[in-house]
Amino acid sequence: MEQPKSSCRDPSVSRSPAERLLAIIPELSLARDLASVTGIVRRVARELTGADGATFVLRDGEHCYYADEDAIAPLWKGKRFPMKACISGWVMQTRKPAVIEDIYQDDRIPREAYRSTFVRSLAMVPIRQEHPIGAIGAYWAQSHRPAAEELVLLQMLADCTSTALANVALYRELQAKVVALQRSNYELSQFAWVASHDLAEPLRMVRCSAEMLHASLPCELAQKNAQLLSFIADGAERLQNLVASLLAHARLDCQYSPTEIDTREVLRIVSQTLRFAISESKAEIFADDLPRVWADPAQMVILFQNLLSNALKFRDAGRRLRIDVQAMPGDGCVLFTVKDNGIGIEPQYQEGIFDYFQRLHPQDRYPGAGLGLSTCRKIVELHGGHIWVESEPGVGSSFSFSLGHQPAHAAQPATEA
Ligand code: ADP
């Protein structure tokens, strides 16, 4: 038999074994996969007991799988033994620890499997008291009987390991669910995109046909049916707008490419697009010296455009519209506010307006699809931020949202199926 090379006890470590066990609990609780757990446990099992080797064994049906080890010479890493033919199987089946001072004097030991190793003494404890799922072994090259305190520490390590393994399983399950959810979200937005895209063409035909019919009818007939024909054309136009909004909304997930952008430029583009509505309403727009942020440029245009066009639309006829666009540093982000002195929103509706198709006014007064603010919320959340409104009826509304300066890892695109 090969002679042991050295013992693993590190004299420079001055902390007590109990302190060392306490110190690895946070490390274990952060482990997200089996390899990290086994890596920590095999090292700590040796440290706590001063053993010359440690193994991490997992139950695999009716076999014991020696998943990992840390030892002065090779043991059984990667091998499987029948439960009935090895000490780890005995520990798991009886749910009791095993302490063996001389392995050649104990019938539970398959001597053949030990003959090529350095092992003379061992201690082994089950992982999980109820229905054990594995075991941790500590091995000595010289005859050794671990103190009761060492055994208690080893069992405590096994109990922490059991919790860590349960966390790993939960985390794996959670990740599988996140992937499934991302896929289903992606498929849903693809579906919405295709459906709204395919609706656009027949709607265009309905609208054009109604207009052509109106133009081609003899004057008397055209007058008689004018109202009916305009209902058809208006209805088709509204549906076209709705389909366009749905298309834009469905595309958001697939078209998220953040980069560093200048929000002054975003405001300039939006003001240019809305120039007729701005001049018609005689609105005054004031803007801070807006900062650079990490965001998708096209989505920022949609976000600012929705907020500004709402401010223009829901203005109070009794006073000149004033819109203030402000930016303030927040906690690791920038807080933007688009504030108007328009009609305002009753407190009980302020949360609901960010949901799909939530509108507070009849179409003929304030036309719209009811998708503007839900699109804003989706954009802000894709960027890892929040959006909310503060408003007082008859005084005005203030829409605020947060955006990061830096790439938002939480907001990375969910574009992959
Ligand atoms: P839309 O503008 O198409 O109706 P939105 O989702 O953009 O849909 O807005 C939802 C509702 O929130 C609006 O119908 C309106 O009642 C209210 N709202 C949005 N912005 C403002 C605002 N600046 N001032 C007052 N009400 C607003």
Side-chain angles (χ1 to χ4, degrees), residues 3 175 260 262 278 281 291 331 336 353 375 407:
Q3 281 303 301
Q175 277 210 311
E260 196 184 314
D262 184 350
I278 293 171
S281 63
D331 188 10
F336 287 89
I353 53 171
T375 301

Side-chain angles (χ1 to χ4, degrees), residues 245 306-315 338 340 342-345 349 352-361 363 366-376 389 391 396-399:
S245 306
N306 278 335
L307 295 178
L308 256 76
S309 60
N310 274 351
L312 290 164
K313 183 161 61 172
F314 298 105
R315 63 182 183 271
V338 177
D340 63 52
I343 60 172
I345 304 160
Y349 300 123
I353 53 171
F354 293 96
D355 292 340
Y356 296 111
F357 305 116
Q358 290 301 316
R359 311 199 62 254
L360 309 179
H361 308 279
Q363 266 308 322
Y366 297 104
L371 274 172
L373 289 179
S374 53
T375 301
C376 291
V389 65
S391 182
S397 307
S398 195
F399 286 85

Side-chain angles (χ1 to χ4, degrees), residues 28 57-58 64 88 98 120 124 142 191 225 233 253 258 354 357 417:
L28 260 184
V57 190
L58 284 171
C64 297
S88 51
R120 183 67 196 259
M124 189 158 265
Q142 308 296 331
F191 175 79
N225 294 295
D253 275 327
F354 293 96
F357 305 116

